[in-house]
Amino acid sequence: MKKGKVFGKHHVVLALMVLALGAAVWLNMKFSSSEKYLGEATLVTDSEISSGEAVQTGAKVEQDTDYFETAKKDRQKALDAAQETVEETLKSANATDSEREVALKTTGEIAARIEKAANIETLLKAKGFEKAVVVIGENDVSVVVKSEGITTAQTLQIQDIVTAQTKVPLSNIKIVTIK
């Protein structure tokens, strides 16, 4: 380095690159959306977004009371049919001990699902959702709530309730809103 020179060409280029990087970081923070959360459950509604974002779909139901009542009745019918099949296996004279053990285990699983779904529905009502139906599958949970649209905070509340009751990962929770 020559005497008397404080900054060389490479120092100026380096300083400009650092400033450009800083500007890029600042612009990214300013214009990026902060409403997305890693692992957020899927929200399905009946509104469409026309600003170029992904289109969300949902169920349109004319009579929401009938929907929730019908959904609960259908769920109960399916659970009753499964329970009846298990009871027939237990009563069968041809059933082996291992088949009876599986039937008893299935009965316990059905009872646990019913209890968890009822608990989730009760907690959702306590959080301000007027009506809710919860369907618990093998590895997933579907939650249908009556709402004009839910906020990110409400989505997080639903996720928290479901994961606390079922231990299902967030990626397997589906939330559907019905007006």
Side-chain angles (χ1 to χ4, degrees), residues 61-69 131 146 178-179:
V61 179
E62 296 298 323
Q63 299 173 346
D64 60 327
T65 305
D66 292 338
Y67 171 78
F68 287 99
E69 290 173 6
K131 296 189 182 244
K146 180 180 179 184
I178 294 181
K179 292 183 180 180

Side-chain angles (χ1 to χ4, degrees), residues 49-91:
I49 300 173
S50 60
S51 64
E53 294 183 22
V55 176
Q56 298 176 349
T57 61
K60 283 195 175 186
V61 179
E62 296 298 323
Q63 299 173 346
D64 60 327
T65 305
D66 292 338
Y67 171 78
F68 287 99
E69 290 173 6
T70 303
K72 286 182 180 183
K73 286 178 184 176
D74 289 346
R75 179 184 64 192
Q76 190 60 45
K77 284 179 187 176
L79 291 172
D80 289 343
Q83 186 66 31
E84 187 176 311
T85 303
V86 168
E87 288 175 5
E88 287 176 7
T89 303
L90 288 173
K91 291 178 183 176

Side-chain angles (χ1 to χ4, degrees), residues 3 8 16 20 23 43 46-47 49 51 68 73 84 91 95 98 103 127 135 148 154 156 169:
K3 286 190 175 185
L16 287 174
L43 170 64
D46 62 352
S47 63
I49 300 173
S51 64
F68 287 99
K73 286 178 184 176
E84 187 176 311
K91 291 178 183 176
S98 63
K127 290 292 184 179
V135 179
E148 293 294 320
Q154 290 172 321
L156 293 173

Side-chain angles (χ1 to χ4, degrees), residues 15-173:
L16 287 174
M17 289 176 64
V18 169
L19 285 174
L21 179 63
V25 169
W26 179 79
L27 287 171
N28 188 30
M29 288 176 27
K30 181 167 174 88
F31 293 110
S32 68
S33 174
S34 62
E35 294 193 22
K36 298 283 182 186
Y37 293 97
L38 183 62
E40 187 171 319
T42 305
L43 170 64
V44 183
T45 66
D46 62 352
S47 63
E48 290 188 7
I49 300 173
S50 60
S51 64
E53 294 183 22
V55 176
Q56 298 176 349
T57 61
K60 283 195 175 186
V61 179
E62 296 298 323
Q63 299 173 346
D64 60 327
T65 305
D66 292 338
Y67 171 78
F68 287 99
E69 290 173 6
T70 303
K72 286 182 180 183
K73 286 178 184 176
D74 289 346
R75 179 184 64 192
Q76 190 60 45
K77 284 179 187 176
L79 291 172
D80 289 343
Q83 186 66 31
E84 187 176 311
T85 303
V86 168
E87 288 175 5
E88 287 176 7
T89 303
L90 288 173
K91 291 178 183 176
S92 173
N94 299 333
T96 64
D97 288 339
S98 63
E99 290 174 335
R100 286 192 173 111
E101 284 180 31
V102 170
L104 287 173
K105 182 180 177 185
T106 303
T107 301
E109 290 173 359
I110 290 171
R113 284 184 187 177
I114 292 170
E115 181 181 2
K116 288 175 183 178
N119 288 346
I120 293 169
E121 289 171 2
T122 301
L123 291 169
L124 290 173
K125 286 179 185 174
K127 290 292 184 179
F129 292 100
E130 186 177 328
K131 296 189 182 244
V133 175
V134 177
V135 179
I136 300 175
E138 290 286 327
N139 300 317
D140 63 336
V141 176
S142 296
V143 180
V144 181
V145 293
K146 180 180 179 184
S147 178
E148 293 294 320
I150 58 176
T151 64
T152 301
Q154 290 172 321
T155 301
L156 293 173
Q157 284 179 336
I158 294 170
Q159 291 172 345
D160 185 45
I161 291 169
V162 171
T163 55
Q165 293 294 318
T166 63
K167 307 297 187 233
V168 171
L170 292 177
S171 60
N172 294 347
I173 299 172

